[in-house]
Amino acid sequence: MDRSSLFLIVCKKGWYYMKTVLVLGATSAIVLETIKHYAQTGAKILLVGRDALNLQRIADDLKVRGASAVNCYVNELSGTDSARQLFAQIPDDEKNEIDIVYIGYGLLPDNEQSIKDEPLRHAALQVNFLSVVEHILQWFNFFVPFGMQTNISRNRVIAVISSVAGLRGRRTNAVYGAAKGGLNTFLSGLRSKGTESGVRVLTILPGFVDTPMTAGIKKGPLFASAEVVGKRIFQALQGKDDVLYVPWFWRLIMLIICLIPEKIFKKLKF
Amino acid sequence: MSYDQTQSLMSWGRYPTVKQAVYSALSPLRIEPSAWGSNWLPYGNGRSYGDVCLNEGGILVPTRRLDKFLSFDKQSGLLTVESGVLLSEILSVAVPQGFFLPVTPGTKFVTVGGAIANDVHGKNHHRAGTFGHHVTRLSLLRSDGTIYECSLQENEALFRATVAGMGLTGLILNATIKMIPIVSDQIAQETIKFETLTEFFQISSQSEAKYDYTVAWIDCIKAAPHLGRGHMICGNHSDVAGTLCAGKAPKLALPFNFPSWLLNGTTVGVFNEVYYQRQRSKLKKRSVHYDPFFYPLDGILNWNRMYGKEGFVQFQTVIPKPEAQAAVTEILKIASASGMGSFLAVLKEFGQMKSVGTLSFPRPGVTLCLDFPMRAHKTVPLMQRLEQITVDSGGALYSAKDALMSAASYAQMYPALSEFTKWIDPHCSSSFARRVGII
């Protein structure tokens, strides 16, 4: 635990303790950038991913950065039974420590291909939407009884990386947009349910981000780096946001996009 | 870090621009050199200036995906990282934990692999030598798939070839650096104003005796009698325990190339005058954060765009002590007379430590660093004259900065070349290596 992190911690209002973060999709660029900051605060991090070697490599990195402990769980993540399996993999005492569930895995398929190819389409919906819903519900249902007890002040958070693409379907991004759109709607419904039991549900809406997912896409001025996005998410997790547009200007851009009448929007080529 | 596969890779000087392919599918856990063909070169963050990081007609293998910290032993200060980690990333992790880089160049945006491949040096060369002096071991991947553990104790000749080996011996996978302990992020800085080059030589050794870090900025536009006036900037890590905060991200960025007429003898002359007179007193002491002390230009992202679309070239030479004052004076006269703006003129005395790498640049003497905008008909003859002065004085030019030197000069400056060539990986090559006759 380094001195400057300690300095940050005592500056915060109220009691601040070392968090435990469960990370689904640890190899995602944005997720990695977020949990680097958690490592620096001495957090305990539980990494979940498909590749054991890669998880170990990330775990070593986080320990050097200051994480108090890092445990790795190999899990398919996007399978139909993955959520239940993961829940069973994690021991009970560790389950009780978890403060934040951070879900950031996804798949961006080529739009034309996914419209033609059924398995690809189903995979996109399964990876980006259906499996994510299962993971979210596993932990939401686990957290609810804790929240009911008023003497416990820890606020659990379920944070999910969705996308601005889910806010309106576009010609070039119908399938991915549908998956994220479904996810956004589910998250807002669950957020409302979560107010009964003190479970916070955070919808993260990045715009264009420079990551391996967009490696083949020519970068324009609207592209943000994974570092900037990851850091912003880390800051938002300390706060009280329900929906985070990152970078902030996407809130304005999407407001306009969503207001365009369908008669005009359906003719746009992007 | 950018994952963009569509961008073309350049060097920092943006000269020369070459056509080359980029292997963009590096998977850190499953690295297969057989997929790179027979003419490849590792590429870090592209902060070297000329063509030492370029491979015209061949393939560049970017290493930035090798971006993980592997281990850090705080008792011994030994930090092991993958070779694509930037020095800035090391600082952001190590400074809050009370450690600093043992040697750092003028920018923190270089990869560890790049720092080793150019055997970079810094303001503390007179005390600490080069970066290679503080690398205790490295893992090198050759094109046949073999990984060599290299250090002064194991595969020593390959280690010495790889340090300052410009990526020609293979791809460095990871390395261990011995970090130095610090108690504060502050530097106790002293700045001395000097009027002439002679005065620089008088105060240089005094400053080096008192301070770990010394460098002089000099005004190379001003003609005699004030030729070579400047500021001697010295510093030590503060020994007063204080905050340990890493630097902040740069807020200022140049989004486009400046027009090429903007930096010329007149505008730079004005800048130099203002900069020189900025300090009223002869001597000034203050405490500064390490970031502006070591990395004044890193505060402006893409500052290289100030030189316009044609790019610029850097001239960095080292001249042995006996000839130094005469040679530096002549170089400054020529630079001043050329009318080509160079406001980044740096002068420093190197220490006596023998460099680790077979082809390392730093050696005892005085190093002078100038840059010039690239205007082919004017810059090339100017650089050739300066190169000749270097050769005639028994000095050398720094490959990490060079874009123009001749093969004949290179052979004279680096007599250990024949010891190096046997360690070149048969499938590695670079534009620089072919230009100066290494390959």
Side-chain angles (χ1 to χ4, degrees):
Chain A
M1 254 309 286
D2 56 279
R3 292 217 296 281
S4 58
S5 286
L6 198 57
F7 181 72
L8 268 170
I9 287 165
V10 303
C11 270
K12 294 230 177 281
K13 277 178 267 194
W15 174 242
Y16 183 105
Y17 56 94
M18 247 39 81
K19 302 255 183 197
T20 298
V21 188
L22 173 67
V23 181
L24 276 63
T27 55
S28 141
I30 297 174
V31 169
L32 277 171
E33 289 297 331
T34 315
I35 58 181
K36 272 181 198 171
H37 293 283
Y38 274 107
Q40 222 169 342
T41 66
K44 176 170 175 178
I45 302 174
L46 309 177
L47 298 173
V48 185
R50 293 173 296 172
D51 184 338
L53 281 177
N54 212 351
L55 288 183
Q56 191 51 53
R57 181 173 161 256
I58 295 168
D60 290 338
D61 178 80
L62 293 172
K63 283 193 208 121
V64 171
R65 289 175 184 274
S68 54
V70 185
N71 292 338
C72 300
Y73 296 95
V74 178
N75 183 287
E76 187 52 40
L77 283 177
S78 58
T80 44
D81 206 33
S82 297
R84 204 198 46 77
Q85 274 172 7
L86 176 62
F87 194 77
Q89 272 173 283
I90 298 176
D92 287 341
D93 52 344
E94 218 162 57
K95 277 200 197 72
N96 292 333
E97 287 173 23
I98 295 172
D99 299 293
I100 301 168
V101 175
Y102 183 28
I103 304 178
Y105 68 90
L107 169 72
L108 178 63
D110 176 74
N111 193 56
E112 292 306 311
Q113 281 246 272
S114 46
I115 287 182
K116 294 192 187 110
D117 182 29
E118 187 182 317
L120 179 61
R121 194 163 55 242
H122 285 202
L125 290 166
Q126 173 64 24
V127 171
N128 291 314
F129 179 39
L130 295 171
S131 62
V132 177
V133 165
E134 293 312 309
H135 282 290
I136 293 171
L137 278 173
Q138 277 290 337
W139 296 101
F140 184 84
N141 292 329
F142 176 71
F143 288 156
V144 159
F146 289 109
M148 298 295 199
Q149 302 163 334
T150 50
N151 58 340
I152 292 178
S153 58
R154 273 169 73 187
N155 289 321
R156 266 92 169 164
V157 185
I158 299 178
V160 183
I161 300 184
S162 176
S163 170
V164 295
L167 296 176
R168 190 160 192 180
R170 290 185 287 126
R171 183 190 300 220
T172 56
N173 214 351
V175 177
Y176 180 79
K180 292 298 193 182
L183 184 59
N184 289 344
T185 307
F186 175 72
L187 285 168
S188 82
L190 204 67
R191 179 159 39 246
S192 183
K193 195 167 161 59
T195 57
E196 291 163 12
S197 43
V199 180
R200 181 177 159 217
V201 177
L202 171 64
T203 305
I204 300 165
L205 300 174
F208 295 130
V209 190
D210 184 351
T211 65
M213 189 183 254
T214 57
I217 301 173
K218 185 141 168 47
K219 303 293 174 284
L222 289 176
F223 269 84
S225 69
E227 286 103 321
V228 161
V229 173
K231 182 167 186 184
R232 185 68 195 93
I233 296 171
F234 171 73
Q235 288 166 346
L237 283 166
Q238 320 303 316
K240 288 187 170 12
D241 288 299
D242 295 318
V243 176
L244 175 74
Y245 288 82
V246 51
W248 61 272
F249 53 77
W250 284 97
R251 190 180 286 269
L252 296 175
I253 296 176
M254 294 318 295
L255 180 64
I256 297 169
I257 299 267
C258 291
L259 285 174
I260 297 173
E262 190 70 0
K263 260 196 166 44
I264 299 170
F265 194 82
K266 67 183 180 184
K267 297 204 180 112
L268 296 176
K269 292 219 166 45
F270 69 103
Chain B
M1 151 155 60
S2 177
Y3 296 90
D4 190 358
Q5 286 169 4
T6 65
Q7 57 174 209
S8 56
L9 297 178
M10 293 206 273
S11 62
W12 191 245
R14 298 150 79 87
Y15 173 82
T17 49
V18 303
K19 273 203 160 55
Q20 60 208 339
V22 176
Y23 181 81
S24 46
L26 189 78
S27 172
L29 290 162
R30 281 163 280 273
I31 304 180
E32 271 146 42
S34 52
W36 305 338
S38 57
N39 179 10
W40 57 268
L41 183 72
Y43 180 93
N45 207 33
R47 281 324 219 249
S48 50
Y49 287 76
D51 54 0
V52 79
C53 64
L54 303 176
N55 191 13
E56 183 160 21
I59 290 181
L60 289 183
V61 181
T63 61
R64 282 286 283 131
R65 296 271 198 126
L66 297 171
D67 65 345
K68 298 280 177 267
F69 289 78
L70 298 175
S71 68
F72 190 16
D73 177 355
K74 300 216 259 195
Q75 302 303 329
S76 58
L78 291 174
L79 173 69
T80 306
V81 293
E82 291 180 345
S83 62
V85 172
L86 295 177
L87 298 189
S88 59
E89 289 163 356
I90 292 181
L91 287 171
S92 68
V93 170
V95 167
Q97 299 186 40
F99 286 89
F100 202 79
L101 290 163
V103 166
T104 176
T107 170
K108 53 187 191 275
F109 298 129
V110 303
T111 58
V112 165
I116 296 172
N118 294 285
D119 199 15
V120 297
H121 60 273
K123 299 179 163 81
N124 62 350
H125 184 273
H126 58 286
R127 290 271 170 94
T130 64
F131 197 81
H133 281 115
H134 305 272
V135 174
T136 58
R137 54 153 291 284
L138 58 88
S139 276
L140 182 76
L141 173 67
R142 304 267 289 185
S143 54
D144 61 359
T146 321
I147 298 175
Y148 293 89
E149 264 299 300
C150 301
S151 64
L152 291 174
Q153 292 77 39
E154 193 182 350
N155 292 315
E156 182 184 347
L158 183 55
F159 179 74
R160 287 185 183 279
T162 304
V163 172
M166 301 172 283
L168 298 170
T169 61
L171 188 139
I172 300 172
L173 292 170
N174 58 70
T176 304
I177 307 163
K178 187 149 167 55
M179 305 288 283
I180 56 170
I182 52 167
V183 297
S184 163
D185 54 27
Q186 298 291 304
I187 304 285
Q189 175 184 289
E190 179 183 280
T191 319
I192 308 168
K193 222 164 133 175
F194 55 88
E195 309 262 324
T196 63
L197 201 56
T198 314
E199 207 183 325
F200 162 79
F201 284 99
Q202 283 163 356
I203 57 178
S204 176
S205 25
Q206 286 162 28
S207 302
E208 295 200 338
K210 276 175 28 195
Y211 287 95
D212 284 342
Y213 299 102
T214 65
V215 76
W217 166 83
I218 53 170
D219 179 354
C220 63
I221 304 278
K222 196 86 179 164
H226 293 294
L227 187 72
R229 65 176 184 175
H231 295 170
M232 176 71 95
I233 304 159
C234 319
N236 285 326
H237 287 288
S238 174
D239 48 14
V240 175
T243 54
L244 286 166
C245 293
K248 292 201 179 59
K251 287 205 165 44
L252 196 60
L254 291 186
F256 48 76
N257 289 319
F258 278 20
S260 20
W261 47 259
L262 192 67
L263 285 186
N264 57 52
T266 318
T267 53
V268 177
V270 169
F271 171 88
N272 283 358
E273 182 71 38
V274 169
Y275 192 79
Y276 178 72
Q277 302 297 2
R278 196 172 65 129
Q279 178 170 304
R280 300 283 174 80
S281 51
K282 178 89 182 161
L283 188 136
K284 193 161 155 201
K285 285 192 195 204
R286 46 197 279 251
S287 176
V288 296
H289 188 270
Y290 73 78
D291 213 32
F293 179 81
F294 288 108
Y295 315 112
L297 284 169
D298 282 352
I300 306 172
L301 286 176
N302 303 326
W303 63 260
N304 54 346
R305 288 191 177 151
M306 253 188 255
Y307 287 91
K309 221 169 42 150
E310 296 93 342
F312 65 114
V313 291
Q314 267 237 340
F315 172 80
Q316 179 161 4
T317 181
V318 58
I319 312 273
K321 202 68 191 293
E323 289 83 6
Q325 185 158 354
V328 171
T329 308
E330 208 193 327
I331 292 172
L332 290 179
K333 281 201 183 115
I334 297 173
S336 164
S338 74
M340 303 189 72
S342 174
F343 63 99
L344 287 163
V346 167
L347 192 59
K348 180 181 170 55
E349 239 189 280
F350 275 151
Q352 301 302 308
M353 282 173 89
K354 186 170 185 325
S355 291
V356 168
T358 310
L359 293 180
S360 287
F361 163 72
R363 58 200 72 182
V366 172
T367 185
L368 169 69
C369 190
L370 304 169
D371 50 52
F372 302 103
M374 189 58 194
R375 314 255 181 279
H377 56 285
K378 276 181 89 175
T379 314
V380 174
L382 170 65
M383 294 289 279
Q384 280 169 346
R385 279 186 77 187
L386 301 182
E387 180 184 321
Q388 197 54 50
I389 297 171
T390 303
V391 172
D392 293 340
S393 323
L397 295 182
Y398 190 13
S399 24
K401 307 276 179 94
D402 180 73
L404 295 167
M405 78 167 127
S406 66
S409 297
Y410 186 80
Q412 279 190 273
M413 295 168 183
Y414 291 89
L417 182 56
S418 52
E419 268 171 60
F420 172 79
T421 45
K422 58 173 99 88
W423 298 108
I424 298 176
D425 186 296
H427 290 179
C428 287
S429 184
S430 69
S431 291
F432 177 84
R434 295 187 293 269
R435 174 167 62 83
V436 301
I438 297 175
I439 291 178

